[in-house]
Amino acid sequence: MTRKAFGYTRVSTDQQARSGLSLEHQRDRIRAYCEAMGYELVRVYTDEGVSGRSFKRRSGLADALKAVCEAQGVLVAFDLSRVARSVRDAVGVSERLRGCGGDLALIDMNADTSTATGRCVFAIMAALGQLESEYASERTKRALATARARGTKLGAKPKLSEGQRISVRARRAKGERVKDLAKEYQVHPNTIWAICRVDS
């Protein structure tokens, strides 16, 4: 039985979206790949002029993933950057599809999770993504430790200065309403409550 495939194309700038040249190139490569693999290309979904940073704005990708899962087919894209902005995101998409019986194919990497070689490639990508995450975590910890050693105060900057905090406590002690103080200092009432509670 011929397996169904669903293509996905994306361009990130308005200029590319208007010209359509990049989209057409991606579609041509997807059609050729599906023909070579013996897949039945059902439909190509597109996000035009959309950044790869947010999945929420990419309705085309959401529809493509849904279609692939329903058909237990293959999502085919030209390259990694079309689908995700990082290796970690791409692996996440791959794992989501595998969970519903689907697969992901990235043409330029010759990575297709329906094949043993493709699964190996994505396993390596997952390992690299995890390594990158752990390195980032270690760098952050080292930077925080260095900052603490230098006496740098970490955390969010107080919304009110020490002098303002003293004034708030004093005025609150005299009976002024939290609502009025919050309005004057342009902060949320919870901030006033917290100052009076923590500093009392």
Side-chain angles (χ1 to χ4, degrees), residues 185-199:
Y185 287 100
Q186 298 182 340
V187 296
H188 194 279
N190 286 344
T191 299
I192 302 299
W193 282 115
I195 289 172
C196 295
R197 180 173 62 251
V198 173
D199 294 336

Side-chain angles (χ1 to χ4, degrees), residues 6-8 45 55 58-76 83 89-90 92-98 100 102-104:
F6 301 83
Y8 176 68
Y45 294 85
F55 281 104
R58 298 164 65 186
S59 58
L61 179 58
D63 292 341
L65 291 172
K66 181 180 179 182
V68 171
C69 282
E70 290 177 349
Q72 293 187 328
V74 183
L75 176 66
V76 183
V83 177
D89 288 346
V93 170
S94 172
E95 290 177 346
R96 174 181 172 183
L97 291 174
R98 294 288 290 175
C100 66
D103 284 293
L104 172 63

Side-chain angles (χ1 to χ4, degrees), residues 5-159:
F6 301 83
Y8 176 68
T9 62
R10 181 181 65 79
V11 287
S12 57
T13 68
D14 293 336
Q15 184 178 10
Q16 285 178 310
R18 286 194 299 270
S19 69
L21 295 176
S22 180
L23 289 174
E24 191 57 40
H25 175 70
Q26 292 175 57
R27 291 191 188 103
D28 287 344
R29 293 295 299 273
I30 288 171
R31 293 189 192 100
Y33 180 84
C34 289
E35 184 176 346
M37 294 295 291
Y39 294 148
E40 176 191 350
L41 181 59
V42 178
R43 178 177 174 180
V44 177
Y45 294 85
T46 299
D47 282 316
E48 298 186 37
V50 178
S51 168
R53 291 183 176 275
S54 174
F55 281 104
K56 294 180 180 179
R57 295 181 54 209
R58 298 164 65 186
S59 58
L61 179 58
D63 292 341
L65 291 172
K66 181 180 179 182
V68 171
C69 282
E70 290 177 349
Q72 293 187 328
V74 183
L75 176 66
V76 183
F78 175 65
D79 60 20
L80 174 66
S81 65
R82 297 309 96 195
V83 177
R85 67 173 182 149
S86 69
V87 168
R88 195 180 315 156
D89 288 346
V91 171
V93 170
S94 172
E95 290 177 346
R96 174 181 172 183
L97 291 174
R98 294 288 290 175
C100 66
D103 284 293
L104 172 63
L106 300 176
I107 298 172
D108 72 325
M109 296 176 62
N110 195 28
D112 186 333
T113 60
S114 68
T115 69
T117 301
R119 287 191 292 274
C120 179
V121 169
F122 271 87
I124 294 171
M125 287 172 63
L128 291 174
Q130 179 63 29
L131 185 62
E132 176 191 2
S133 177
E134 291 178 2
Y135 276 150
S137 178
E138 288 179 1
R139 286 195 298 269
T140 299
K141 290 177 181 178
R142 285 197 298 270
L144 291 174
T146 300
R148 290 192 189 96
R150 292 175 178 171
T152 303
K153 291 185 177 181
L154 304 175
K157 182 179 179 180
K159 295 181 179 179

